[in-house]
Amino acid sequence: MPKCNYYHENPRFYVGIDCIIFGFKDGKLSLLLLKRNFEPSKGQWSLMGGFVQKDESTDHAAKRVLRELTGLVKVYMEQVGAFGEVERDPGERVISIAYYALINIDDYDRELVQSHNAYWADINELPTLIFDHREMVDKARNLMKQKASNKPIGFNLLPELFTLTQLQTLYEAIYGEAMDKRNFRKRVAEMEFIEKTDEIDKTGSRRGARLYRMNSDVYRKTRKFRI
Amino acid sequence: MPKCNYYHENPRFYVGIDCIIFGFKDGKLSLLLLKRNFEPSKGQWSLMGGFVQKDESTDHAAKRVLRELTGLVKVYMEQVGAFGEVERDPGERVISIAYYALINIDDYDRELVQSHNAYWADINELPTLIFDHREMVDKARNLMKQKASNKPIGFNLLPELFTLTQLQTLYEAIYGEAMDKRNFRKRVAEMEFIEKTDEIDKTGSRRGARLYRMNSDVYRKTRKFRI
DNA sequence: TCAAAAGTGTTAAGTTTACACCCATGA
DNA sequence: TCATGGGTGTAAACTTAACACTTTTGA
């Protein structure tokens, strides 16, 4: 394929990556935010970000940025979209691509997160964020909610073994509304890939609660999910 | 806001725009495609595209690109997402942002379209497209289908006055499946913003069919839509 | 007079919602 | 023994799906 001058008439742009990192902490949906200790906007809250590099796809860049903050690899991520207002970043023209990630809050590298000056914030009590990051968060949250209602992505936010109460609390946090316990469990019982294990969690109650596990192989056979 | 060297360590990229232009033609959902008479990939089919310029947002660039092809302004457009594989455009590294547009097929500037060597193609019989354009189309189609099911965006594909048979045929084309006429009309009757007019369309049948109109002001009051 | 599209209701099936009590355990 | 969270079923309300005939008119 010959290089062609047509391209070179056009301007080039910094392409940023911003990550909306969801976690499930103390029964609440939370985001991992950075208190910036660098300019621009030092001291303010922002999403974890970075720039796309020459030799990497945007999806790859998003995974790299997430890894730089959390140490995690193989994380569930989805693109939220491109944010391209001319003045969105007051420092320079940057076109940014937002991604959301769902991580298990027990797994990440705490030192790495600490060294970036990052903290978990309840999604319903977010501080003011720089630039258009709030818009990114809102769009990510809506997309995630939509997807979580018909694809089993929520399990990425839970430990491998979880109780049905944890699962219900998670979905209540995602939807922002209470659910009926019996109706919820009826629906779970219909999904064969949510498997009962032999184990009991004794930490949440005196009686103890049955632990369940998501079985991806079983899910692949039916691909039916609806909570 | 001081400029800061941090940005300048990073590479810059051409940022492309690609438009998935939906129309409703002869009872079928169609896309406006270009038979490229320029390199690279001359002679092959592609989406209408362009490049983001210095002084415009990506949304603005998408509207401009659409206007360059169709002459239309104030068109319904939604972003599909960013496509950022390293080798997606074999000519140069280009990160492209795809948008879909819904246009009324009676309105566009035919000469302009002709001069770009563009043609309507039935969405179910698309030719092979260059680069990752097929992927963009598939993602756009899914997003549009999803959105059309709970927001009244489909009316952008119809003339101002339309018959219920046209409306049903449109939704059958969007969903790719047949619908029951009586159930369909029952649902339409529940939506007050789909208003019966005094006019009759005599072109589609001997008997003639009642023409309807979408009233956006009435829609804004209820915002209930479900087909 | 007949072909072709427009228009019109009812019933059964399926889904969703509402709701309250007993169980097991450790402190 | 009691406070705490875990676990369980049924009936009513609502929504969705299936289904067939009459009307109008121009050729």
Side-chain angles (χ1 to χ4, degrees):
Chain A
M1 179 70 48
K3 303 244 168 180
C4 127
N5 278 321
Y6 175 61
Y7 293 104
H8 304 129
E9 296 160 13
N10 295 293
R12 291 178 304 148
F13 300 90
Y14 297 115
V15 177
I17 295 289
D18 287 296
C19 293
I20 297 96
I21 305 167
F22 288 98
F24 182 56
K25 188 180 158 78
D26 305 328
K28 289 175 178 170
L29 204 56
S30 303
L31 293 185
L32 193 52
L33 298 178
L34 269 60
K35 181 140 183 155
R36 288 163 76 104
N37 43 18
F38 52 89
E39 291 297 347
S41 306
K42 187 169 167 177
Q44 293 190 262
W45 292 96
S46 81
L47 297 169
M48 176 68 185
F51 288 91
V52 178
Q53 300 300 315
K54 276 220 177 310
D55 56 345
E56 64 180 0
S57 68
T58 52
D59 286 2
H60 181 273
K63 285 182 187 153
R64 174 178 54 74
V65 167
L66 186 77
R67 194 182 62 235
E68 284 168 7
L69 176 59
T70 63
L72 296 171
V73 293
K74 292 200 181 177
V75 173
Y76 181 86
M77 294 189 87
E78 291 279 349
Q79 192 191 114
V80 174
F83 290 75
E85 289 304 312
V86 176
E87 302 285 353
R88 55 171 294 282
D89 181 331
E92 277 282 352
R93 174 84 196 261
V94 178
I95 292 169
S96 199
I97 306 176
Y99 284 79
Y100 72 81
L102 305 182
I103 75 172
N104 175 350
I105 208 155
D106 298 329
D107 281 355
Y108 65 88
D109 181 331
R110 272 140 222 269
E111 285 182 26
L112 203 49
V113 162
Q114 218 159 49
S115 74
H116 279 87
N117 221 20
Y119 305 88
W120 289 102
D122 179 344
I123 198 154
N124 294 314
E125 293 169 16
L126 294 179
T128 301
L129 300 176
I130 62 166
F131 308 169
D132 50 3
H133 287 193
R134 179 59 194 235
E135 202 186 323
M136 293 177 177
V137 168
D138 291 342
K139 190 168 178 200
R141 195 182 177 180
N142 283 330
L143 279 175
M144 193 274 271
K145 187 170 166 178
Q146 168 63 33
K147 187 123 184 172
S149 75
N150 50 165
K151 292 278 153 57
I153 63 170
F155 301 94
N156 291 295
L157 292 161
L158 293 173
E160 201 199 334
L161 299 182
F162 51 85
T163 69
L164 294 186
T165 301
Q166 285 175 309
L167 186 63
Q168 180 173 349
T169 308
L170 170 62
Y171 274 88
E172 289 177 335
I174 291 172
Y175 293 144
E177 61 188 34
M179 293 173 157
D180 180 274
K181 183 162 59 158
R182 277 178 289 188
N183 293 338
F184 183 84
R185 284 165 187 242
K186 229 179 300 173
R187 269 173 283 150
V188 168
E190 282 160 11
M191 292 185 269
E192 293 181 1
F193 63 88
I194 303 177
E195 294 178 339
K196 189 183 275 194
T197 69
D198 294 335
E199 308 195 40
I200 305 289
D201 171 67
K202 303 288 284 182
T203 63
S205 67
R206 304 198 200 292
R207 176 174 172 176
R210 178 68 62 164
L211 286 162
Y212 288 73
R213 156 190 289 130
M214 144 89 178
N215 183 328
S216 303
D217 292 332
V218 175
Y219 173 68
R220 261 178 234 115
K221 285 175 194 149
T222 64
R223 296 185 173 277
K224 290 211 173 72
F225 180 85
R226 186 72 236 219
I227 287 193
Chain B
M1 178 72 49
K3 302 245 169 180
C4 125
N5 279 322
Y6 175 61
Y7 293 102
H8 303 129
E9 296 160 11
N10 296 293
R12 292 180 303 148
F13 301 90
Y14 297 116
V15 178
I17 295 287
D18 287 294
C19 292
I20 296 97
I21 305 167
F22 288 98
F24 182 55
K25 187 182 159 79
D26 307 327
K28 289 173 177 170
L29 204 56
S30 304
L31 293 186
L32 193 51
L33 298 179
L34 269 62
K35 180 140 184 156
R36 288 163 76 104
N37 44 19
F38 51 89
E39 293 295 349
S41 307
K42 188 169 165 176
Q44 292 189 262
W45 292 95
S46 82
L47 297 169
M48 176 69 184
F51 289 89
V52 178
Q53 300 299 314
K54 276 219 177 311
D55 56 344
E56 63 179 2
S57 68
T58 51
D59 287 0
H60 181 275
K63 284 181 189 153
R64 174 178 55 74
V65 167
L66 186 77
R67 195 180 64 238
E68 284 169 7
L69 175 60
T70 64
L72 297 170
V73 293
K74 293 200 182 179
V75 173
Y76 181 86
M77 294 189 86
E78 291 280 351
Q79 192 191 114
V80 174
F83 290 75
E85 289 302 313
V86 176
E87 301 285 352
R88 57 171 292 285
D89 181 330
E92 277 282 354
R93 173 84 196 259
V94 178
I95 292 170
S96 199
I97 307 176
Y99 284 79
Y100 73 81
L102 304 182
I103 75 171
N104 174 351
I105 207 154
D106 298 328
D107 283 354
Y108 65 89
D109 181 330
R110 270 138 225 272
E111 284 183 26
L112 204 48
V113 163
Q114 218 159 50
S115 75
H116 280 87
N117 221 18
Y119 305 87
W120 289 101
D122 178 346
I123 197 155
N124 294 314
E125 294 171 14
L126 294 179
T128 302
L129 299 176
I130 63 167
F131 307 170
D132 50 3
H133 286 192
R134 179 60 195 234
E135 201 187 324
M136 293 177 176
V137 168
D138 291 342
K139 191 168 175 198
R141 195 180 178 182
N142 284 330
L143 279 175
M144 194 274 271
K145 186 170 167 179
Q146 170 61 32
K147 188 123 185 172
S149 75
N150 51 161
K151 293 278 153 55
I153 64 171
F155 301 94
N156 291 294
L157 292 162
L158 292 173
E160 201 199 335
L161 300 181
F162 51 84
T163 68
L164 294 186
T165 301
Q166 285 176 310
L167 186 63
Q168 181 174 347
T169 307
L170 170 62
Y171 274 88
E172 289 177 334
I174 291 172
Y175 293 145
E177 60 187 36
M179 294 173 158
D180 180 275
K181 183 161 58 157
R182 279 178 288 188
N183 292 339
F184 183 85
R185 284 164 187 244
K186 230 179 300 171
R187 268 173 283 151
V188 168
E190 281 161 12
M191 292 184 267
E192 292 181 1
F193 63 88
I194 302 177
E195 294 179 339
K196 189 183 273 193
T197 70
D198 294 334
E199 308 196 41
I200 305 289
D201 170 67
K202 304 287 285 183
T203 62
S205 67
R206 305 198 199 293
R207 178 175 172 177
R210 179 68 64 166
L211 286 163
Y212 287 74
R213 156 191 291 131
M214 145 90 178
N215 184 327
S216 303
D217 293 332
V218 176
Y219 173 67
R220 261 177 234 115
K221 285 173 195 152
T222 62
R223 296 187 173 277
K224 290 210 171 77
F225 180 85
R226 185 73 236 219
I227 287 194

